[in-house]
Amino acid sequence: MSYVDEALERVIAQNPAQPEFHQAVKEVLESLRVVIEADEEKYRKEALLERLTTPERAILFRVPWVDDKGQVQVNNGYRVQFNSAIGPYKGGLRLHPSVNLSIIKFLGFEQVFKNSLTSLPIGGGKGGSDFDPKGKSDREIMAFCQSFMTELFKYVGADTDVPAGDIGVGAREIGYLYGQYKRITGLYEGVLTGKGLSYGGSLVRTQATGYGLVYLTSELLKCHGTSLEGKTVSVSGAGNVAIYAIEKAQQLGAKVVTCSDSTGWIYDPEGIDVGLLKDVKEVRRARLTEYKKRRPSAVYTEGRGVWSVKVDVALPCATQNELHLEDAKALVANGVYAVCEGANMPTTLEATQFLQENGVLFVPGKASNAGGVATSALEMSQNSERLSWSAEEVDAKLKDIMINIYHNIDNASKKYGMEGNYVAGANIAGFLKVVNAMEAQGIV
Ligand code: NDP
């Protein structure tokens, strides 16, 4: 049996009931086959794939907190420190009822390659909890965040592990987490990114993932002789990534006609009103039905369906496994030209394969959504220097990083004989740097 197959079998056997983690490992290892098989005995002897697919550390903890009725609630807390070969662990915290060890491990594993692609010195990690922030009061959110950090602070630090936001964790939650870290440790240091501007945050961090996604998409189109100007775009999600992807795509002349949340989706043939969407989601924290009420041109549909609209470019920006095979078929039937992932692993393996087989340009999230973590790393640099850079400076660096990522994955796909396969390109380019550092550091 080939070493890649052995490693895959082992991951499945040793990590039962972790389907998302299996899926992420399978996707990566399949595309590394060509690299591994060129030097299979060396990698097998080093147990390189076993080390790569086993987190350095996985921390599971209890998060007790008191709700507004005086009832004690208990949630599960997680921090998976996956790989620190090229820098301190870095990756977001997710608060969503679906969170479990499988999801945090898949996200941490992906983060290792993504962070490597940014070309910045950051290792991979991820964390979170099955706490559901929806419908909670501000006080409840604060109580949860304080309890979560009371355990987490033992394992994080500006030079060891630097978490950030993800689903359900925005500026408010980062503020409460940071306050508690400072209170417990007495340290005013860059232990979290995505901080508010008044206490060490970076300009453009809020916009970075969405803007970065569109910068990369724009470079992809440019290198294929076209541009976003005049294109119709569908976006899923209505959170941090989706909102700023919509904003930047519109600034570059595209018309974005959809967005969605976990209850339904909007089709707005006149183009999403991003100011209104921000008010509904960022200020009022309301459902998309509120957007529909205030926007006569919008059609709201309950449930799934965002990928049924005819568009040139699709940007899935909600969550994992939200774009299924039948969605990929609908997009292809409608002539979609490019799909670039804003979320982490939003496209299922079958859907990805279908898009690629049908000639759609497809860029995986670990490359196209790396702008968030890249700007987080820029926030770390500013914290270390105790300086703040201007928005123009950060935005210019973000743009450069995204353009470089595109060329890096494009070159890797060409070098290994898979031109245009950006999944393989991203996995190989991300892998080579991490493995080089792991080998140099010995068996650790
Ligand atoms: P947010 O919490 O700000 O927004 C998530 C959006 O997705 C919301 O509109 C939410 O709807 C929707 N959503 C969540 N779960 C589901 C579901 N099961 N079905 C349908 N819709 C769903 O998160 P972000 O925008 O920060 O993150 C979105 C994705 O991007 C995630 O995959 C995340 O890991 C990834 N990402 C985020 C980065 C960042 O910097 N924030 C960086 C890189 C990747 P509702 O409001 O109803 O819950």
Side-chain angles (χ1 to χ4, degrees):
M1 193 189 283
S2 80
Y3 179 39
V4 165
D5 291 322
E6 268 171 38
L8 252 176
E9 273 199 6
R10 179 187 162 280
V11 165
I12 293 166
Q14 288 198 335
N15 303 275
Q18 295 186 359
E20 294 85 0
F21 181 52
H22 300 168
Q23 180 183 343
V25 171
K26 189 167 187 323
E27 185 235 272
V28 170
L29 294 196
E30 286 297 352
S31 53
L32 293 179
R33 217 176 257 285
V34 42
V35 182
I36 301 292
E37 286 176 2
D39 215 346
E40 181 161 293
E41 280 325 301
K42 181 187 79 136
Y43 288 128
R44 196 197 300 267
K45 189 149 189 258
E46 290 177 345
L48 202 273
L49 294 182
E50 288 84 340
R51 287 194 281 147
L52 197 69
T53 54
T54 306
E56 289 178 19
R57 198 169 297 101
I59 302 144
L60 278 68
F61 51 95
R62 179 171 72 201
V63 190
W65 56 280
V66 182
D67 72 15
D68 285 347
K69 297 191 186 96
Q71 174 66 48
V72 176
Q73 302 285 346
V74 180
N75 288 100
N76 295 313
Y78 304 87
R79 185 71 186 166
V80 173
Q81 298 179 328
F82 222 106
N83 191 306
S84 62
I86 61 172
Y89 309 105
K90 182 94 199 81
L93 298 172
R94 176 176 291 192
L95 298 183
H96 192 272
S98 64
V99 164
N100 56 36
L101 188 57
S102 171
I103 288 183
I104 298 298
K105 279 172 69 179
F106 117 63
L107 290 164
F109 182 69
E110 291 276 298
Q111 196 82 44
V112 174
F113 302 91
K114 180 191 306 192
N115 292 3
S116 167
L117 285 174
T118 65
S119 73
L120 300 169
I122 39 179
K126 197 84 185 186
S129 172
D130 55 2
F131 172 78
D132 186 358
K134 278 207 194 85
K136 302 291 190 299
S137 69
D138 254 10
R139 194 210 61 79
E140 289 175 320
I141 300 278
M142 183 170 72
F144 172 84
C145 289
Q146 291 183 339
S147 179
F148 187 85
M149 185 51 89
T150 301
E151 194 58 34
L152 187 70
F153 90 94
K154 300 167 192 165
Y155 312 104
V156 296
D159 292 313
T160 48
D161 184 354
V162 185
D166 189 70
I167 291 180
V169 178
R172 173 179 58 170
E173 293 74 20
I174 293 289
Y176 293 147
L177 291 162
Y178 189 71
Q180 186 71 354
Y181 179 83
K182 186 165 61 72
R183 184 186 189 195
I184 297 172
T185 62
L187 295 171
Y188 205 102
E189 61 170 16
V191 64
L192 290 160
T193 57
K195 298 186 291 301
L197 293 178
S198 57
Y199 62 96
S202 173
L203 287 161
V204 189
R205 174 60 189 93
T206 306
Q207 297 86 346
T209 309
Y211 278 21
L213 167 67
V214 175
Y215 289 147
L216 185 140
T217 306
S218 185
E219 185 68 10
L220 167 80
L221 296 184
K222 186 175 139 198
C223 293
H224 287 82
T226 180
S227 78
L228 270 173
E229 176 86 47
K231 296 280 186 303
T232 307
V233 175
S234 59
V235 167
S236 64
N240 174 265
V241 180
I243 287 172
Y244 293 97
I246 295 170
E247 183 168 277
K248 184 52 73 178
Q250 289 180 341
Q251 283 171 9
L252 298 185
K255 187 198 246 188
V256 182
V257 291
T258 69
C259 64
S260 66
D261 66 14
S262 48
T263 48
W265 61 285
I266 291 285
Y267 173 58
D268 193 338
E270 287 187 9
I272 298 290
D273 178 341
V274 79
L276 174 58
L277 185 63
K278 283 186 194 175
D279 185 59
V280 169
K281 285 292 175 185
E282 292 184 338
V283 182
R284 292 166 198 268
R285 299 180 190 271
R287 313 307 309 165
L288 283 175
T289 43
E290 179 71 22
Y291 178 96
K292 155 73 199 149
K293 263 191 222 150
R294 291 163 60 191
R295 178 85 171 162
S297 56
V299 181
Y300 174 79
T301 310
E302 196 85 10
R304 303 182 77 252
V306 76
W307 308 120
S308 59
V309 176
K310 179 172 169 50
V311 290
D312 305 304
V313 174
L315 305 175
C317 296
T319 192
Q320 67 272 359
N321 292 329
E322 50 150 320
L323 198 162
H324 305 162
L325 181 58
E326 63 270 27
D327 301 320
K329 287 183 178 165
L331 284 167
V332 168
N334 280 328
V336 75
Y337 184 71
V339 175
C340 300
E341 296 183 326
N344 285 313
M345 208 170 74
T347 315
T348 64
L349 287 174
E350 303 76 49
T352 302
Q353 207 174 345
F354 186 83
L355 292 169
Q356 289 178 319
E357 282 167 4
N358 283 277
V360 176
L361 300 175
F362 178 85
V363 183
K366 66 171 71 71
S368 46
N369 72 27
V373 75
T375 308
S376 276
L378 300 180
E379 183 174 330
M380 288 165 72
S381 301
Q382 293 170 74
N383 292 164
S384 299
E385 309 188 304
R386 300 190 191 283
L387 289 174
S388 297
W389 304 342
S390 68
E392 292 70 29
E393 201 175 346
V394 180
D395 193 40
K397 286 190 198 311
L398 168 65
K399 198 170 180 182
D400 271 358
I401 289 169
M402 298 314 297
I403 290 174
N404 280 337
I405 291 176
Y406 170 69
H407 289 287
N408 193 4
I409 67 174
D410 185 43
N411 290 339
S413 77
K414 287 176 181 152
K415 183 169 172 199
Y416 286 89
M418 291 179 275
E419 181 164 357
N421 183 343
Y422 302 117
V423 173
N427 288 332
I428 293 171
F431 168 84
L432 289 174
K433 181 175 174 192
V434 173
V435 163
N436 184 283
M438 283 174 75
E439 288 176 331
Q441 291 169 30
I443 309 303
V444 292

